[in-house]
Amino acid sequence: MGDPQILAKGWDPISPAEAGWTFVSFAVHTVPAGQTFPLPADDHERAVVPLAGSAIADIADQHWEFGGRDNVFAGLGYCLYVPRDTAASLTAVTDVEIAVAAAPATTRHQPVLVTPDDTQIEMRGGGNASRQVNSLMLPDFPADRLHVIEVWTPGGNWSSFPPHKHEHDREGEAELEETYYYRLRDEENGWALQRVYSPEREFELTAPVRDGDLLLIPWGYHTTVAAHGHDLYYLNVLAGPASKRTLQAHQDPCLAPVQADWPSVGMDSRLPIVPRYPR
């Protein structure tokens, strides 16, 4: 398995072979209005999240129109779950930018469309570690391996904090491959800092990330901080070998105690920074 790495905007679709791991595939596609994007049937389950624009999905006799936000800061996302052995076609109503995550699956579940009405406007953390979360596919979702979450972090705040890892299958921790796909409200000038580290592997990655970059996290503690004045979004995809769906994480024991102060500090008053639906 390879090291954690950041791929600059313009990266090619990621398969497990390119990532150096076993489960997660990830791609972002732009489909012009009126064109159709096929998803052929295979042994992978997929999650389709429109980042901008609207599309119509056809799966057998089911027909959904979904999406509609101008960008990821305009409203919560939709997520279309396409099970294994299931063909789907997506027809762009407007120009549409869509993220497609995939993982091998052993069980065929039913197609599901998750809408903004199906999720909570959730705030996590406290103080300058406050962020907004939209949980599209959590462990209780009827799927095999895929988990999908949207996260918005106000400028100057920390996210995925305290740093945590999904590295080993053991009590309180699950082995999960993970990707972060970043977008910045200011696409040209916005940036954040990403840290991935592993004392046991003597590994350290601390680097700026910008709009359109992609992080691959096969192992290691990780956390992100948005630059002051630059709101950050990332689409978080996880999948792993565990037979039971779980997102258990092991927090860095050196930093885990800081969250004890969050109830007294309270939530960042800027949250939520994204409405359920575009205004």
Side-chain angles (χ1 to χ4, degrees):
M1 185 173 285
D3 291 345
Q5 59 178 310
I6 296 167
L7 305 180
K9 184 177 181 178
W11 46 271
D12 293 326
I14 297 302
S15 70
E18 279 92 25
W21 57 30
T22 306
F23 297 100
V24 174
S25 300
F26 187 79
V28 173
H29 304 279
T30 300
V31 185
Q35 291 194 14
T36 296
F37 182 79
L39 292 172
D42 59 21
D43 61 355
H44 285 61
E45 59 185 2
R46 283 164 287 199
V48 180
V49 179
L51 303 167
S54 299
I56 293 171
D58 289 289
I59 301 177
D61 59 349
Q62 295 175 289
H63 180 86
W64 292 292
E65 183 169 342
F66 66 121
R69 55 185 176 180
D70 290 337
N71 57 68
V72 296
F73 294 95
L76 303 186
Y78 288 72
C79 180
L80 176 67
Y81 173 71
V82 182
R84 64 163 290 160
D85 302 323
T86 302
S89 65
L90 307 173
T91 302
V93 176
T94 64
D95 291 348
V96 64
E97 185 180 24
I98 52 172
V100 181
T106 56
T107 303
R108 186 183 185 277
H109 298 269
Q110 294 300 311
V112 177
L113 178 64
V114 180
T115 78
D117 286 332
D118 298 322
T119 58
Q120 298 180 351
I121 294 182
E122 179 186 359
M123 267 61 72
R124 293 185 189 172
N128 71 338
S130 304
R131 60 271 194 191
Q132 181 179 350
V133 176
N134 184 29
S135 298
L136 295 167
M137 290 177 59
L138 287 178
D140 60 355
F141 189 92
D144 257 27
R145 288 194 169 92
L146 275 177
H147 302 83
V148 182
I149 303 163
E150 295 185 301
V151 182
W152 294 265
T153 308
N157 281 13
W158 290 83
S159 198
S160 291
F161 203 91
H164 62 276
K165 64 187 182 77
H166 312 272
E167 188 168 342
H168 304 291
D169 273 327
R170 61 186 181 185
E171 184 66 27
E173 183 179 1
E175 181 184 352
L176 294 166
E177 302 164 0
E178 187 168 9
T179 59
Y180 279 20
Y181 174 65
Y182 307 96
R183 301 303 297 264
L184 277 298
R185 193 186 292 273
D186 184 341
E187 298 178 7
E188 295 297 321
N189 304 303
W191 57 280
L193 286 177
Q194 178 68 52
R195 186 182 185 208
V196 184
Y197 61 100
S198 175
E200 66 183 279
R201 299 172 186 261
E202 299 182 340
F203 178 86
E204 175 73 47
L205 170 64
T206 303
V209 291
R210 296 176 173 84
D211 186 79
D213 290 356
L214 179 70
L215 170 67
L216 309 182
I217 317 173
W219 41 260
Y221 295 110
H222 46 281
T223 186
T224 317
V225 59
H228 178 79
H230 290 297
D231 295 340
L232 170 71
Y233 165 95
Y234 55 86
L235 181 64
N236 185 202
V237 175
L238 307 96
S243 57
K244 179 181 178 181
R245 289 176 58 76
T246 176
L247 285 174
Q248 291 186 106
H250 179 71
Q251 295 180 338
D252 184 337
C254 298
L255 292 168
V258 302
Q259 60 195 317
D261 296 331
W262 289 348
S264 61
V265 172
M267 199 65 58
D268 189 317
S269 61
R270 293 173 292 175
L271 291 170
I273 62 172
V274 173
R276 188 175 300 276
Y277 287 101
R279 297 190 176 98

